């Protein structure tokens, strides 16, 4: 067992995926229940996501869902992975997180992304256009300024109760967002969506360009990864089947569907393009037995030097999903840290 696993924080991102034949409301209730279990297993934080007009994802209002998660737990840090800042006015985002921090002091994370709605219709409904992401840097500065009281875009406008509170902010990035995280002096959440080499280059550039700030004194890297652990390699790979098919279907039909049982997916007659995308979606994931996953995660951590791993797994069988997280928790010896829920809101050295 590689020692780096025991020295690394492991956290959870749950996207509130819907399942075939299931009401989306159930997916949200499942997320809250999952958070309770993740806390009991010793995971460091539990994040929820933002998706609009996606049939396969129930999590459309992450700050509302984060409030329910925080209310149902007592120690685990709770946040968003993330709020897509170009979709919202920074003042409203500051107010929402200010309320969360006021109600659950020292436990709230503000994960921020720069994506916008993925279709023209969704962007119009949100009152945004596809170029809104280009203003992410300015939006981020304005948002952080509402917490410090230093925003100058709208003189005499204050975010209540956010002003004076300190919610730990993170930047979610796949590309240029890493540059913004470095410039703003914020922790970075990075995926290998554009390939492992591109991820490693972005992380290296982030560390080199990082400017210490009141939000973070040093670079802090969270690597997001799909991880599936089971009693055999085949069983672990099977856990990845439902999400892989949803991804392939979305890229060929323009709709991201609810999760189907693995057996049903494997019995489908796929077109050549669907099969190619399906296999691509299953590759590059961390899966296998405990020993195989330990080796893969150890290699990932050694390459990236990451401070934390944000784990996600979407599959049809919820009990099998939970068992994977239980196996991973035992593998990395994740244990509750008594002091984590007691962090001062202004403590910028503990993430």
């Amino acid at each position: 067992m590689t020692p780096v696993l025991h020295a690394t924080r492991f956290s959870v991102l749950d996207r509130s995926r819907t399942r075939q034949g299931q009401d989306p409301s159930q997916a949200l209730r499942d997320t809250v229940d999952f958070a309770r279990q993740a806390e009991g297993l010793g995971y460091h934080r539990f994040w929820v996501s933002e998706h609009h007009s996606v049939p396969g994802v129930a999590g459309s209002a992450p700050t509302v869902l984060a409030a329910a998660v925080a209310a149902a737990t007592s120690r685990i840090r709770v946040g968003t992975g993330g709020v897509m800042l170009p979709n919202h006015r920074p003042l409203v985002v500051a107010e929402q997180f200010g309320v969360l921090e006021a109600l659950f002091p020292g436990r709230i994370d503000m994960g921020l992304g720069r994506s916008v709605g993925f279709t023209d219709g969704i962007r119009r409904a949100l009152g945004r256009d596809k170029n809104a992401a280009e203003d992410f840097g300015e939006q981020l500065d304005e948002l952080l300024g509402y917490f410090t009281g230093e925003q100058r875009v709208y003189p005499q406008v204050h975010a209540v109760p956010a002003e004076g509170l300190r919610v730990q902010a993170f930047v979610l990035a796949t590309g240029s967002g890493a540059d913004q995280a470095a410039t703003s002096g914020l922790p970075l959440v990075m995926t290998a969506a554009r390939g492992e080499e591109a991820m490693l280059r972005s992380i290296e550039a982030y560390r080199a360009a990082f400017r210490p700030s009141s939000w973070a004194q040093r670079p802090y890297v969270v690597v997001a990864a799909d991880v599936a652990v089971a009693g055999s390699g085949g069983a672990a790979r099977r856990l990845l089947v439902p999400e892989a098919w949803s991804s392939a279907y979305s890229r060929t039909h323009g709709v991201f569907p609810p999760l189907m049982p693995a057996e049903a997916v494997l019995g489908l007659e796929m077109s050549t393009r669907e099969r190619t995308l399906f296999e691509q979606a299953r590759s590059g994931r961390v899966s296998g037995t405990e020993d195989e996953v330990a080796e893969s995660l150890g290699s990932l951590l050694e390459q990236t030097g990451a401070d934390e791993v944000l784990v996600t797994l979407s599959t049809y069988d919820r009990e099998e999903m939970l068992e994977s997280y239980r196996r991973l928790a035992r593998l990395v010896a994740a244990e509750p840290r008594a002091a984590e829920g007691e962090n001062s809101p202004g403590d910028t050295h503990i993430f």
Side-chain angles (χ1 to χ4, degrees):
M1 187 70 64
T2 174
V4 71
L5 293 183
H6 303 297
T8 303
R9 285 171 168 154
F10 280 77
S11 299
V12 175
L13 169 64
D14 186 59
R15 295 167 55 219
S16 303
R17 292 288 274 112
T18 61
R19 294 169 172 83
Q20 192 176 64
Q22 179 190 82
D23 190 288
S25 300
Q26 184 61 49
L28 296 175
R29 292 191 290 269
D30 286 346
T31 289
V32 175
D33 179 69
F34 179 22
R36 295 190 191 99
Q37 299 195 50
E39 179 174 71
L41 291 170
Y43 286 98
H44 180 55
R45 65 181 97 246
F46 189 95
W47 282 5
V48 296
S49 61
E50 175 184 339
H51 297 272
H52 297 285
S53 189
V54 179
V57 185
S60 58
T63 54
V64 177
L65 185 54
V69 168
T73 55
S74 61
R75 181 186 60 253
I76 196 168
R77 293 191 65 89
V78 176
T80 57
V83 165
M84 297 300 120
L85 192 52
N87 289 339
H88 309 281
R89 300 298 300 182
L91 172 62
V92 175
V93 175
E95 291 170 339
Q96 291 173 344
F97 278 98
V99 169
L100 286 171
E101 178 64 19
L103 294 174
F104 308 101
R107 292 180 58 206
I108 300 301
D109 298 324
M110 184 168 61
L112 303 164
R114 62 190 298 271
S115 297
V116 293
F118 67 94
T119 68
D120 288 338
I122 295 172
R123 289 190 288 267
R124 286 196 297 270
L126 292 169
R128 298 294 185 266
D129 60 45
K130 62 183 180 181
N131 298 319
E134 296 176 2
D135 299 325
F136 179 72
E138 290 78 5
Q139 294 169 328
L140 180 61
D141 289 343
E142 181 186 340
L143 171 62
L144 298 179
Y146 284 120
F147 286 93
T148 63
E150 298 171 345
Q151 80 82 22
R152 298 291 181 263
V153 181
Y154 301 100
Q156 300 181 338
V157 174
H158 301 271
V160 179
E163 190 170 310
L165 298 180
R166 184 53 57 96
V167 176
Q168 184 56 57
F170 296 74
V171 172
L172 282 62
T174 55
S176 60
D179 299 332
Q180 187 60 57
T183 299
S184 299
L186 295 175
L188 171 70
V189 182
M190 175 63 68
T191 73
R194 298 183 181 179
E196 187 172 283
E197 289 302 318
M199 176 183 70
L200 294 175
R201 287 195 300 270
S202 292
I203 290 174
E204 182 179 2
Y206 162 74
R207 290 194 175 109
F210 184 85
R211 300 178 184 175
S213 71
S214 62
W215 300 90
Q217 295 300 303
R218 63 175 180 84
Y220 190 91
V221 175
V222 182
V223 172
D226 294 88
V227 181
V229 193
S232 69
R237 289 189 292 274
R238 181 176 167 276
L239 292 176
L240 301 172
V241 166
E243 179 73 8
W245 171 244
S246 288
S247 176
Y249 190 91
S250 71
R251 296 182 64 183
T252 52
H253 296 79
V255 176
F256 203 84
L259 298 171
M260 293 172 55
E263 297 82 356
V265 172
L266 295 174
L268 292 172
E269 291 187 11
M270 301 183 193
S271 67
T272 300
R273 176 165 169 73
E274 287 173 338
R275 176 67 63 180
T276 298
L277 293 171
F278 172 66
E279 295 300 339
Q280 288 177 352
R282 295 176 71 187
S283 66
R285 306 297 189 260
V286 177
S287 68
T289 63
E290 279 88 340
D291 287 344
E292 291 169 335
V293 167
E295 182 177 353
S296 296
L297 286 175
S299 176
L300 175 67
L301 290 168
E302 288 171 5
Q303 289 184 72
T304 61
D307 301 278
E308 184 174 336
V309 178
L310 183 64
V311 178
T312 186
L313 173 62
S314 296
T315 194
Y316 180 83
D317 190 308
R318 186 166 178 270
E319 180 52 40
E320 290 181 349
M321 180 197 79
L322 294 172
E323 176 61 17
S324 176
Y325 278 99
R326 286 191 285 265
R327 287 174 178 268
L328 179 62
R330 292 193 295 267
L331 174 64
V332 302
E335 297 179 355
R337 295 177 175 85
E340 284 177 0
E342 301 169 4
N343 293 343
S344 165
D347 190 339
T348 61
H349 300 281
I350 299 176
F351 301 106

